[in-house]
């Protein structure tokens, strides 16, 4: 009952749709075109994502090769990936409303560079919001995925050292999905990121100083460390607002005295000389966590050498560093050695006492804050001296 012209029109439209569907994977497989699509989808990205080859299909997996993130300011690309292979084809992605499935990333290289102000090259890749005073807010991603990174290499360079730091191959697994609060989050699985890695200045000051503030602006570092993550969650658009925890194990780490140790020694009685180096407690396991935009730590112990063979001042550190502003809120606990010089009555009276010192300011510019423990110890010392005088100990 349908007229012949109508039948012909329907057939032509159907054929056009089939041809269009068949040509869509080919159309999307053009590297330059896909780069423009990514730029339109992520307008706040101040870099272009370039591809050497793209293979898309309705049923087969998506394969991207030679993926490079190229900053528009002409600086060196910070991220390069040899191959990305997805488990879903276009049809599965469309019917699942944006589920990309499993993405396997191989031959990934991250080139992290810090400037004189300790700002990394990754921070300028995303355009800041128009309202500068507005805090970052988590957002909802248009896709879902499970990410598996195999044998990634991280290279860190900084102006305070001449040699770059190279990581061991790193494996990482994470899932991107929406949460009940309305935004999307990356969920990171527990992983041992590094095992017995070299403690060089670029990684010590650039990354690990947030976990161990004694490393900030250290003149030199040596030794080895391991880094484990218990897992965590990072909201899209505001990763600093997420949460994670882990353990930093430091194996025989020796550090040149940075501002924190130098200011601490200057603040103590006895005119102690600045030490040439400090030693972190052997096999020190520092627990850390990201909570409320601050990196908190506990269990950090290091020793400050004192005059005389084999003598040192052991210091325990706990507290937090602000991830946004590098602000310090740290407490140092110092047990005064019991064998201080007996020819100095005040120092001798301090022997065996324990005092605590607060640290404010910022990473690289700490400020010592003496709390009530100093007053308590001073009172105890005064009482002991008075008791000695009353007891006839004139000397």
């Amino acid at each position: 009952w349908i007229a012949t012209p109508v039948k012909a029109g329907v057939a032509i439209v159907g054929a056009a749709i089939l041809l269009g569907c068949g040509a869509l994977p080919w159309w999307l497989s053009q590297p330059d075109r896909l780069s423009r699509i990514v730029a339109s989808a992520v307008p706040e990205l101040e870099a272009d994502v370039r591809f050497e080859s793209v293979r898309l299909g309705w049923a087969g997996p998506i394969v991207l090769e030679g993926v490079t993130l190229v900053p528009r300011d002409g600086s060196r690309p910070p991220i390069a990936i040899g191959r990305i292979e997805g488990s879903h084809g276009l049809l599965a992605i469309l019917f699942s409303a944006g589920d990309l499935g499993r993405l396997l990333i191989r031959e990934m290289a991250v080139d992290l560079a810090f400037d004189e102000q300790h700002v990394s090259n990754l921070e300028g890749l995303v355009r800041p919001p128009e309202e500068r005073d507005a805090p970052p807010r988590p957002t909802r991603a248009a896709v879902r995925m499970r990410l598996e990174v195999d044998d990634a290499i991280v290279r860190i360079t900084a102006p305070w050292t001449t040699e770059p730091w190279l990581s061991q191959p790193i494996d990482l697994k994470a899932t991107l999905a929406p949460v009940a609060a309305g935004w999307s989050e990356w969920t990171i699985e527990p992983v041992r990121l590094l095992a017995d890695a070299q403690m060089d200045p670029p990684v010590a000051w650039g990354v690990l100083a947030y976990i161990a503030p004694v490393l900030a602006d250290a003149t030199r570092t040596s030794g080895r460390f391991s880094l484990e993550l218990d897992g965590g969650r990072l909201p899209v658009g505001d990763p600093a607002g997420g949460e994670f925890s882990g353990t930093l194990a430091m194996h025989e780490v020796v550090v040149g005295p940075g501002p924190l140790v130098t200011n601490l020694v200057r603040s103590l009685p006895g005119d102690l000389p600045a030490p040439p180096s400090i030693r972190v407690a052997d096999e020190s396991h520092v627990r850390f966590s990201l909570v409320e935009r601050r990196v908190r730590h506990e269990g950090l112990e290091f020793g400050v050498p004192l005059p005389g063979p084999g003598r040192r001042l052991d210091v325990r550190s706990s507290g937090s560093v602000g991830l946004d502003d590098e602000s310090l809120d740290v407490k140092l606990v110092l047990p005064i050695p019991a064998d201080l010089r007996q020819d100095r009555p005040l120092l001798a009276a301090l022997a065996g006492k324990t005092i605590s010192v607060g640290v404010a300011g910022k990473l690289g510019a700490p400020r010592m804050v003496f709390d009530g423990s100093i007053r308590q110890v001073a009172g105890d010392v005064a009482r002991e001296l008075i008791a000695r005088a009353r007891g006839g100990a004139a000397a």
Side-chain angles (χ1 to χ4, degrees):
W1 49 272
I2 300 178
T4 300
V6 176
K7 293 180 180 179
V10 171
I12 291 173
V13 171
I17 293 175
L18 291 176
L19 288 174
C21 291
L24 181 61
W26 171 84
W27 186 80
L28 292 175
S29 295
Q30 305 301 313
D32 292 341
R33 184 174 290 117
L34 187 58
S35 295
R36 292 194 293 271
I37 293 174
V38 173
S40 299
V42 192
E44 65 274 12
L45 185 64
E46 293 290 334
D48 295 318
V49 182
R50 297 179 182 174
F51 308 88
E52 289 184 2
S53 67
V54 179
R55 188 166 74 245
L56 302 174
W58 286 112
I62 297 175
V63 178
L64 311 173
E65 294 183 328
V67 184
T68 307
L69 189 64
V70 182
R72 293 176 186 149
D73 61 4
S75 58
R76 181 175 178 175
I79 299 176
I81 302 173
R83 180 183 176 91
I84 301 177
E85 183 174 342
S87 61
H88 289 183
L90 291 176
L91 200 61
I93 295 174
L94 291 175
F95 277 107
S96 62
D99 186 359
L100 302 183
R102 181 182 69 102
L103 292 183
L104 180 61
I105 296 182
R106 299 183 183 276
E107 302 175 23
M108 180 177 182
V110 179
D111 196 345
L112 184 61
F114 290 93
D115 60 16
E116 292 286 354
Q117 288 72 41
H118 304 95
V119 177
S120 76
N121 56 342
L122 298 183
E123 296 186 32
L125 292 178
V126 179
R127 185 183 309 139
E130 296 180 1
E131 302 177 11
R132 293 189 176 182
D133 296 333
R137 291 176 296 180
T139 59
R140 188 181 182 93
V143 297
R144 307 183 304 278
M145 72 181 78
R146 174 176 172 79
L147 198 66
E148 297 185 7
V149 180
D150 284 352
D151 295 340
I153 299 295
V154 177
R155 180 177 182 267
I156 302 178
T157 56
W160 55 84
T161 182
T162 57
E163 296 295 329
W165 178 82
L166 289 177
S167 75
Q168 307 161 345
I170 297 175
D171 296 337
L172 185 66
K173 295 181 180 179
T175 302
L176 174 64
V179 296
W183 58 77
S184 297
E185 287 184 349
W186 285 102
T187 301
I188 303 174
E189 298 183 10
V191 61
R192 189 173 194 183
L193 290 174
L194 298 166
D196 202 31
Q198 188 71 33
M199 177 71 79
D200 291 338
V203 69
W205 184 191
V207 179
L208 300 180
Y210 287 87
I211 302 173
V214 70
L215 300 176
D217 249 358
T219 55
R220 63 187 182 279
T221 58
S222 63
R224 308 191 72 82
F225 72 98
S226 301
L227 185 63
E228 295 185 8
L229 285 181
D230 301 330
R233 59 174 191 85
L234 302 176
V236 174
D238 185 23
E243 295 180 352
F244 61 74
S245 61
T247 302
L248 170 64
M250 291 192 275
H251 319 297
E252 300 181 354
V253 173
V254 177
V255 181
L260 189 148
V261 173
T262 301
N263 290 355
L264 172 64
V265 172
R266 288 175 180 173
S267 302
L268 295 177
D271 298 326
L272 298 175
S277 64
I278 63 171
R279 185 182 182 93
V280 177
D282 292 345
E283 299 303 322
S284 177
H285 288 72
V286 183
R287 291 289 303 166
F288 66 88
S289 61
L290 172 64
V291 181
E292 298 178 348
R293 314 185 75 84
R294 300 190 68 84
V295 180
R296 306 182 184 276
H297 75 274
E298 59 180 354
L300 174 61
E301 298 184 8
F302 58 91
V304 178
L306 295 174
R311 301 176 66 244
R312 74 178 198 174
L313 181 66
D314 292 317
V315 182
R316 297 194 303 272
S317 172
S318 61
S320 65
V321 180
L323 201 57
D324 298 321
D325 56 5
E326 298 184 350
S327 60
L328 292 171
D329 183 11
V330 175
K331 180 179 180 180
L332 304 177
V333 178
L334 300 79
I336 305 300
D339 57 347
L340 291 180
R341 294 173 52 181
Q342 296 301 310
D343 59 340
R344 302 281 296 275
L346 181 59
L347 290 182
L350 286 173
K353 305 292 184 180
T354 298
I355 63 175
S356 60
V357 181
V359 184
K362 293 187 176 183
L363 278 178
R367 176 169 50 86
M368 299 295 128
V369 180
F370 291 92
D371 58 17
S373 71
I374 299 295
R375 184 178 302 169
Q376 179 65 40
V377 170
D380 293 342
V381 169
R383 282 190 292 270
E384 290 185 15
L385 292 176
I386 291 173
R388 290 184 187 181
R390 288 179 176 175

